[in-house]
Amino acid sequence: MVSIISIFFGFILLVLAELWSASTKRPASVALQVFGYALIALGMLCALVGGEQTMQVPEAVRMVCLGLAIAGGGMLVWTVFLEIPLGVKRYKVAAGHVYAHGSYGRCRHPGFWCFLLFSVGFGLWSNNSLVLIGFSTANAMNLLLILLQDQYTFPTQFVDYREYAKKVPFLVPRFKKQRR
């Protein structure tokens, strides 16, 4: 129960950070984001540590799911925390403009897929139906957060976001090279 409450309030803090940063453009929203991410991580960790095995997922499948979860976690850290700051420097993206390279050139919210792989992988690895349900709920909340970002906050934060949204798909990645 603590884990679900923690995850829920973590996403609430992320939504508040988005709304605050869009309306005031203050860096204090970063503190809300940090606390939000921490609550989500804490809630997920508590769920994984405190649960009993209630499902009958075969051990081989569980190990594959663990590998997918670890890969998804690594990709999540890359796409959400590292790719944009490093890419902005590499491609010299001007302040207030969208970073549209790498995974962000394939779809506007690649972190959604990484979080999905991470959380569902760990949910299945846990062999606990409540953990899987809780992590699936976290994915639904994540989708709501990125809908808010895509429709409301990002267009106010980035001057070229509407043009970017016309060129790059929302969630389903584009894998063909686009001619320029």
Side-chain angles (χ1 to χ4, degrees):
M1 185 66 163
V2 170
S3 60
I4 292 181
I5 292 169
S6 178
I7 292 168
F8 177 77
F9 280 111
F11 276 105
I12 294 296
L13 288 179
L14 292 180
V15 166
L16 291 174
E18 285 298 320
L19 294 174
W20 192 8
S21 69
S23 65
T24 62
K25 305 209 188 284
R26 291 185 185 177
S29 66
V30 172
L32 283 177
Q33 284 180 322
V34 168
F35 286 127
Y37 287 129
L39 279 176
I40 292 167
L42 179 67
M44 294 179 89
L45 183 62
C46 287
L48 286 173
V49 171
E52 294 180 21
Q53 294 186 358
T54 59
M55 299 188 313
Q56 295 179 355
V57 179
E59 195 62 28
V61 173
R62 287 185 67 218
M63 291 303 109
V64 168
C65 290
L66 178 61
L68 292 174
I70 291 169
M75 293 184 324
L76 184 63
V77 168
W78 169 254
T79 59
V80 175
F81 300 109
L82 298 173
E83 182 177 9
I84 293 175
L86 294 173
V88 163
K89 287 181 184 177
R90 178 179 179 195
Y91 294 103
K92 296 175 179 56
V93 177
H97 289 265
V98 172
Y99 170 74
H101 302 278
S103 63
Y104 289 89
R106 302 214 181 275
C107 76
R108 295 196 304 270
H109 299 277
F112 172 81
W113 298 109
C114 304
F115 185 70
L116 182 72
L117 187 62
F118 171 75
S119 60
V120 171
F122 270 128
L124 288 169
W125 172 79
S126 75
N127 216 5
N128 183 315
S129 56
L130 291 177
V131 171
L132 185 58
I133 291 168
F135 287 8
S136 297
T137 303
N139 278 290
M141 294 172 76
N142 188 35
L143 181 59
L144 291 174
L145 175 66
I146 65 172
L147 284 167
L148 171 74
Q149 291 172 332
D150 197 71
Q151 296 300 311
Y152 180 69
T153 58
F154 287 174
T156 63
Q157 290 174 345
F158 303 104
V159 295
D160 56 347
Y161 193 79
R162 300 262 187 234
E163 295 158 17
Y164 169 67
K166 289 177 186 174
K167 295 176 187 173
V168 178
F170 176 62
L171 279 181
V172 180
R174 176 183 57 227
F175 290 104
K176 287 193 243 176
K177 289 232 175 193
Q178 199 173 25
R179 294 180 190 196
R180 295 181 189 226

